[in-house]
Amino acid sequence: MKEPRYLRLFESGELRRRADRAREIIRECALCPHECRVDRTAGERGKCRSGELPIVSSFHPHMGEESCLVGRNGSGTIFFTNCNLACIFCQNYDISWLGSGDEVSFEDLAGMMLSLQARGCHNINLVSPTHMVYAILEALALAIPAGLRLPLVYNSGGYDAVETLELLEGIIDIYMPDFKYIDEDTAGKLSGARDYPRRAKDALKEMHRQVGDLEMDGRGVATRGLLVRHLVLPNGLAGTAGAAKLLAWLSRDTYINIMDQYRPEYRARECFDLRRRTTLEEYDAAVEMAREAGLRRFDDRRRGWR
Ligand code: SF4
């Protein structure tokens, strides 16, 4: 295994400085584009309903993620409770909306990372990390001297602030954001963030600047780069053609997982167009749109596309 880049940042003291900077940010929180400006260290809560300490719903080797993350032994997934987006159709609404999980210390979070490494996982996969960047940096400051060496995956909804992502340069190896919509009205109505398309575009550019296109080792396991998830919604709500054009503009070699598993969950029935599953025809059309836009690296778990 190659030595992770975060080791150098830890040894130079830069990781400590970044954690301190992240703590300053949550005192008037602008970790994500919502910029709630609440003092999370004093118990105030913003739109993500989160304080200073992380809440974790589960952590385990995950065999259901993209094959390039799962490899042979699984992706070492840590699911953070709460979310900085408010998607009315969230498939994990018990975690993101209802707060299922336990508050843990930074030491506990570091211990989870180390235990996933000890179980042979290929990476540490931080799910819904955006509102927990400060806690992640604090935990890394403990886990790295204790032997953590796995690549880190930042598995976000795509609503990330560029200034926060800059704190993660040289620390995160694999960025795996969603790219949910390109239409502002849709983003506002379905996720409570009208500026999502613009913010996600800026975040994608910054992520790609830091890590480039997805790279894999000889076993097909991802080591570094950008992997984008795009969930096909019924009735064209995800704006796939526009999203694919933007990703192809970033790089034709952007690795994309076009997902077909939408089902009406939680409050999805509040939106008429979300009341049914995505059809096979809609999914096939979405893949064709991505091809027409020039994309050529597709996650191949379902149907063998390349
Ligand atoms: S991380 Fe939470 S509190 Fe901070 S700006 Fe985003 S939603 Fe608001």
Side-chain angles (χ1 to χ4, degrees):
M1 194 192 305
K2 264 198 330 198
E3 195 172 82
R5 293 180 307 154
Y6 54 65
L7 205 53
R8 255 177 293 152
L9 294 185
F10 173 77
E11 284 163 358
S12 69
E14 178 62 14
L15 191 135
R16 183 66 258 159
R17 281 190 285 279
R18 302 243 190 122
D20 291 345
R21 174 67 192 128
R23 183 176 163 82
E24 273 173 42
I25 292 174
I26 68 163
R27 290 172 71 90
E28 203 179 331
C29 196
L31 263 191
C32 88
H34 281 308
E35 297 185 8
C36 301
R37 304 285 172 194
V38 294
D39 184 354
R40 289 170 54 184
T41 67
E44 294 174 12
R45 301 285 190 269
K47 290 194 175 184
C48 63
R49 305 175 301 281
S50 301
E52 182 176 2
L53 288 175
I55 305 175
V56 172
S57 72
S58 66
F59 70 104
H60 53 83
H62 196 327
M63 304 307 286
E65 297 284 70
E66 283 75 354
S67 51
C68 60
L69 297 180
V70 167
R72 196 184 172 85
N73 301 325
S75 180
T77 314
I78 300 176
F79 286 89
F80 291 105
T81 297
N82 298 333
C83 185
N84 69 325
L85 284 171
C87 305
I88 62 169
F89 56 88
C90 183
Q91 323 267 297
N92 296 316
Y93 64 93
D94 54 327
I95 302 169
S96 61
W97 278 93
L98 306 182
S100 159
D102 297 308
E103 190 170 87
V104 299
S105 65
F106 302 136
E107 289 79 7
D108 292 335
L109 185 56
M112 290 174 192
M113 295 175 181
L114 292 166
S115 86
L116 291 166
Q117 176 172 274
R119 292 170 76 177
C121 294
H122 298 282
N123 45 63
I124 301 297
N125 184 347
L126 304 159
V127 184
S128 293
T130 304
H131 57 300
M132 278 300 148
V133 163
Y134 165 61
I136 290 165
L137 292 172
E138 285 290 357
L140 285 172
L142 299 168
I144 294 169
L148 185 73
R149 296 296 179 268
L150 290 182
L152 303 175
V153 182
Y154 187 88
N155 181 344
S156 80
Y159 194 59
D160 291 283
V162 170
E163 297 72 18
T164 301
L165 294 173
E166 285 169 354
L167 293 178
L168 300 173
E169 182 164 12
I171 295 171
I172 297 297
D173 302 281
I174 299 161
Y175 282 106
M176 185 163 66
D178 294 332
F179 191 21
K180 294 177 185 289
Y181 328 94
I182 54 151
D183 178 68
E184 287 187 347
D185 290 340
T186 308
K189 187 171 157 192
L190 302 188
S191 291
R194 204 167 181 282
D195 59 351
Y196 179 93
R198 176 170 60 86
R199 298 299 199 150
K201 180 181 166 189
D202 290 347
L204 283 163
K205 273 165 64 181
E206 173 61 18
M207 291 172 181
H208 189 261
R209 182 193 72 74
Q210 289 184 22
V211 297
D213 293 325
L214 193 70
E215 297 170 12
M216 301 184 202
D217 65 15
R219 303 166 300 172
V221 174
T223 53
R224 177 179 159 88
L226 176 67
L227 189 169
V228 180
R229 286 175 165 176
H230 178 74
L231 177 66
V232 182
L233 295 173
N235 298 300
L237 285 173
T240 303
K245 271 187 204 146
L246 196 136
L247 293 175
W249 166 79
L250 203 58
S251 164
R252 284 192 67 196
D253 287 319
T254 300
Y255 191 99
I256 183 167
N257 179 7
I258 300 178
M259 301 188 295
D260 65 356
Q261 63 260 46
Y262 173 78
R263 57 185 189 279
E265 288 278 7
Y266 197 46
R267 293 167 41 207
R269 289 178 193 283
E270 291 173 15
C271 171
F272 182 79
D273 285 337
L274 284 179
R275 289 183 187 173
R276 63 164 173 82
R277 287 177 177 251
T278 304
T279 63
L280 187 60
E281 289 72 26
E282 284 174 319
Y283 182 74
D284 288 345
V287 174
E288 198 46 42
M289 286 173 204
R291 284 194 192 290
E292 279 173 12
L295 294 172
R296 52 194 177 190
R297 294 181 76 198
F298 296 87
D299 188 68
D300 59 359
R301 274 183 305 168
R302 287 185 181 74
R303 303 180 192 177
W305 283 301
R306 284 204 183 270

